[in-house]
Amino acid sequence: MLKHTQELLDIMSRLRHPQEGCAWDLKQDFTSLVPYLIEEAYEVADAIERNDLDDLRSELGDLLLQVVFHSQIANERGLFNFEQVSEGICNKLIRRHPHVFAGAVFNTDEERQQAWEREKAIERQAKSKADEPKSVLSGVARNLPALIECEKIQDRAANHGFDWPDALPVFDKVLEELNEVKEAWQSGDQAHIQEEIGDLLLVAVNLARHLNVNAEVALKESTKKFSRRFQHIEQQVKASGLNLKDCDLAELDALWDQAKQALKLS
């Protein structure tokens, strides 16, 4: 094993030592570490988005720590260890890439993707419990961001024939769902409004799929664009000696249009 990999494992073991370890580290378990695991994954993504490669190296280390931390807890309970985690992912990568490791030939990306999905289906079947209902949707992580979970669920269904043939009918479905949101809003039934908003978001994700757009990335980019424009408005209002609350909506809308033009040229 590489020097610093073993050093990291030794440090984690010492931090979890019952008598000589760190009190905070000793209190942690699989569940308590979940928020940190998710946070570190997002911080890796943020470093990549900012193209900060020094920070990326650091954040990957923080994410690796979470893998080591979970592996250490599992080892203490006699479940598995870091070496077995590494072995598992090595075996999975080899299974899923028969064109690299087993001489298989795929003539198109579609053939390769179909083989990948078949292998994943076999893996899901092997992991499923006898009393669990069998479904092609089984195995999608419940803690994924909602847009990503929705896209994965729809991809699974589409791979088994449940999908529109192209984007055109999805546009119609978006309009249909939007009208149903308006009807729910007019009814004043908040639970119904929430349900219909959910349906609208779901079909918007479906439209994104058909247009080969990642819904999570698209929303992230639009949110950043909104933030840039709003910050431009803040700067203009501050320069005039006012506060945002001093301006009426018409004034803010005019500044928004200015921001769109100014940032489009920058």
Side-chain angles (χ1 to χ4, degrees):
M1 189 177 294
L2 297 176
K3 173 186 173 183
H4 293 300
T5 302
Q6 186 58 59
E7 182 181 14
L8 176 58
L9 294 173
D10 292 342
I11 290 171
M12 193 69 252
S13 178
R14 183 168 179 181
L15 289 172
R16 292 278 300 180
H17 190 281
Q19 285 78 45
E20 301 172 4
C22 168
W24 185 87
D25 290 275
L26 285 165
K27 287 193 298 185
Q28 305 311 309
D29 57 24
F30 295 136
T31 303
S32 69
L33 289 173
V34 167
Y36 303 101
L37 176 63
I38 294 172
E39 180 181 348
E40 297 301 350
Y42 277 114
E43 290 182 356
V44 167
D46 179 65
I48 293 171
E49 189 173 307
R50 291 184 285 104
N51 196 31
D52 188 333
L53 301 185
D54 286 337
D55 196 31
L56 175 59
R57 175 185 53 78
S58 175
E59 295 299 345
L60 285 171
D62 292 343
L63 184 59
L64 176 59
L65 172 61
Q66 292 299 312
V67 177
V68 169
F69 208 149
H70 282 271
S71 298
Q72 175 63 31
I73 294 172
N75 189 39
E76 293 165 4
R77 300 181 183 182
L79 302 173
F80 55 81
N81 57 31
F82 182 80
E83 180 65 20
Q84 290 170 305
V85 171
S86 300
E87 178 187 23
I89 190 58
C90 286
N91 291 340
K92 183 183 292 184
L93 287 170
I94 291 170
R95 283 197 313 272
R96 291 187 180 181
H97 295 83
H99 53 300
V100 176
F101 300 104
V105 176
F106 301 133
N107 295 313
T108 64
D109 285 342
E110 184 179 4
E111 288 182 4
R112 179 191 52 76
Q113 183 64 29
Q114 288 173 348
W116 176 275
E117 293 297 337
R118 283 196 300 271
E119 181 57 41
K120 288 178 67 175
I122 292 170
E123 292 170 7
R124 288 194 298 270
Q125 181 66 29
K127 287 196 301 184
S128 66
K129 298 176 182 177
D131 58 347
E132 287 181 341
K134 300 296 185 291
S135 171
V136 299
L137 306 182
S138 300
V140 175
R142 291 173 296 176
N143 286 333
L144 286 170
L147 288 177
I148 296 176
E149 179 189 17
C150 184
E151 184 176 52
K152 284 185 174 292
I153 290 286
Q154 291 184 17
D155 280 342
R156 291 273 186 91
N159 285 336
H160 289 77
F162 190 74
D163 197 10
W164 281 288
D166 54 55
L168 194 57
V170 192
F171 282 101
D172 294 334
K173 190 65 177 176
V174 169
L175 295 176
E176 177 187 327
E177 293 296 345
L178 184 59
N179 285 330
E180 290 182 5
V181 170
K182 186 175 182 180
E183 291 171 5
W185 167 67
Q186 290 170 335
S187 76
D189 184 336
Q190 192 61 36
H192 188 39
I193 294 171
Q194 176 175 305
E195 178 185 358
E196 295 300 341
I197 287 286
D199 290 347
L200 177 62
L201 291 172
L202 186 143
V203 76
V205 171
N206 207 326
L207 180 60
R209 286 179 51 253
H210 278 274
L211 299 178
N212 297 316
V213 170
N214 182 299
E216 184 78 14
V217 172
L219 180 57
K220 194 88 169 171
E221 290 300 315
S222 289
T223 301
K224 287 194 297 183
K225 181 169 63 177
F226 176 90
S227 297
R228 288 195 301 269
R229 291 175 178 175
F230 188 81
Q231 287 162 359
H232 183 87
I233 292 173
E234 287 180 304
Q235 292 165 5
Q236 296 302 309
V237 170
K238 184 177 181 181
S240 67
L242 300 172
N243 294 315
L244 286 172
K245 291 184 178 179
D246 297 327
C247 304
D248 61 30
L249 183 56
E251 292 173 306
L252 294 176
D253 274 341
L255 288 172
W256 177 265
D257 290 336
Q258 291 177 21
K260 287 171 65 175
Q261 291 301 318
L263 293 174
K264 187 181 297 183
L265 298 174
S266 64

